Amino acid sequence: MTQNKIAIIGSGGREHALARKFAQTLTWENVFTLPGNGGIPNSHSINVNDFDEVERFCIYNKIDMIFVGPEQPLAAGIVDYFKNKDIKVFGPDKQSAQLEASKIFAKQFMKKYGIATADFKIFNNTNDAKYFTAKKLGDLVIKFDGLAAGKGVFVCSAIDEANEALQELEKAYGENVNFIIEDKIKGDEISIIGFTDGKTIKLLQPSQDHKQLLDGDKGPNTGGMGAYSPVDGISNELMQKIRDKIVNPTLKGIQTEKMNYKGVIYFGIMVKNGEPYLLEYNVRFGDPETEVLLPALKNDLYEIANACISGNLNNVNFEFEEDYFCDVVLVSGGYPKVYSKNYVINGLENISENTLIFHAGTKNEAGVMLTNGGRVLNIVGRGKTLNKALDNAYKEVNKIYFKNMFFREDIGKRKNKHFKNF
Ligand code: GLY
């Protein structure tokens, strides 16, 4: 039997968690990460935006499947590029990736298929929006249409903030920029992430991300300061509403539009007074959610990915560990704005064997691990209770040090008041 070999595209903590999971069944020598980072074994620094180069690498190394971590290669059409070639690619095609790459496409899709979401209006220039925001009372969210690495969403609770957001959009993209304005729904946010083969959607356990930089959900938005899973308080009734009002109509839409979607689908959901609303789709795994979801998944990930590609996901039964997992992200001081790199990371050798560490912004120079990005390391604790998982993670966090290291101290401590309908 030929040995399965996989190439994971991406370079963050998500990709390290993916690589570890695949390596459990395929072994590390058959799990390649492109370009990877300082802590992911078998990382290869190639230009992943050049699909010819990716193809050459895969042919040379006899790779049979590519698993795409981030959204950019999907939106750029990597799945379409490899269509009718001998290498399988896990992920949605370019058109399906519009669910994440175009906020306008996504909101129109939600509206067409009756998916619970906030009311919205589409704009193609900032001047029209200025009149609209002046008349609009209450909180609103302004979202740039395209991919902006988390920098295209502005949550505004006052007219001044809305005007500032419009100015920022204008500065970045000019006056004739495509964007939407939607009502802000105030509640508790959860990430519901699943796999699809286009015929069925199978969900992993709910998780919760901590997007803001500072304790108490204050400060600027980041790529994620921590996550935990599963999330207590999500009743069977709420989960059923999420399926009925969001997941199932999405599947219906994917089928009706004949989308070629074989990959991960991420529902960013706001729960308000026990009712779920879809904020956004992502067409890939969340980061840092993946770092807590995959350690809990008992199944063979290669088999799941293969089942998605071959249209047999219905035959796979997901099984989960009973424990809680919690991820504390260590970032470079100054992130998400200006920060320095190349600081030595100390203490990695003292980490307990059963703690998972997923590298993000790191590089290995002659055996010395250095910081190489804003989000540097993910420290994942495990425990029978959420508190135990948190204790285990923070105990290990305290063993690590690099200059200007920063992290949130309240991961997993939120009171989710909106999960019930009071
Ligand atoms: N954790 C949010 C995201 O991956 O987009």
Side-chain angles (χ1 to χ4, degrees), residues 14 209 211 223 266 280 282 284-289:
R14 167 181 53 206
D209 184 9
K211 288 197 176 106
Y266 170 136
E280 63 174 3
N282 292 319
R284 36 89 191 161
F285 262 119
D287 195 349
E289 290 96 327

Side-chain angles (χ1 to χ4, degrees), residues 290-310:
T290 309
E291 289 89 316
V292 292
L293 289 175
L294 290 185
L297 179 67
K298 287 189 182 171
N299 300 61
D300 176 339
L301 188 55
Y302 188 89
E303 271 180 20
I304 295 178
N306 217 14
C308 288
I309 293 170
S310 57

Side-chain angles (χ1 to χ4, degrees), residues 40 43 66 92 106 124 129 134 141 175 195 249 270 275 277 327 351 393:
I40 309 179
S43 286
I66 297 172
N124 52 27
V141 184
E175 207 173 279
F195 290 86
M270 188 66 85
E275 290 299 321
Y277 299 89
D327 176 15
I351 294 298

Side-chain angles (χ1 to χ4, degrees), residues 160-212:
D160 290 355
E161 283 176 11
N163 284 337
E164 267 172 44
L166 293 173
Q167 271 169 17
E168 278 202 43
L169 275 184
E170 224 172 86
K171 207 163 78 193
Y173 305 104
E175 207 173 279
N176 296 321
V177 48
N178 293 327
F179 61 100
I180 58 168
I181 299 185
E182 67 178 24
D183 292 341
K184 182 184 170 195
I185 300 174
K186 288 186 198 161
D188 297 314
E189 205 171 333
I190 47 169
S191 306
I192 300 291
I193 298 175
F195 290 86
T196 186
D197 59 357
K199 299 184 207 163
T200 184
I201 295 179
K202 293 219 170 176
L203 301 177
L204 296 174
Q205 301 186 104
S207 56
Q208 196 166 46
D209 184 9
H210 293 63
K211 288 197 176 106
Q212 281 166 288

Side-chain angles (χ1 to χ4, degrees), residues 92-110:
D93 70 359
K94 189 172 179 170
Q95 186 225 358
S96 313
Q98 291 291 296
L99 285 175
E100 175 167 358
S102 166
K103 303 296 172 230
I104 295 175
F105 179 92
K107 287 297 277 197
Q108 286 174 328
F109 179 94
M110 292 178 211

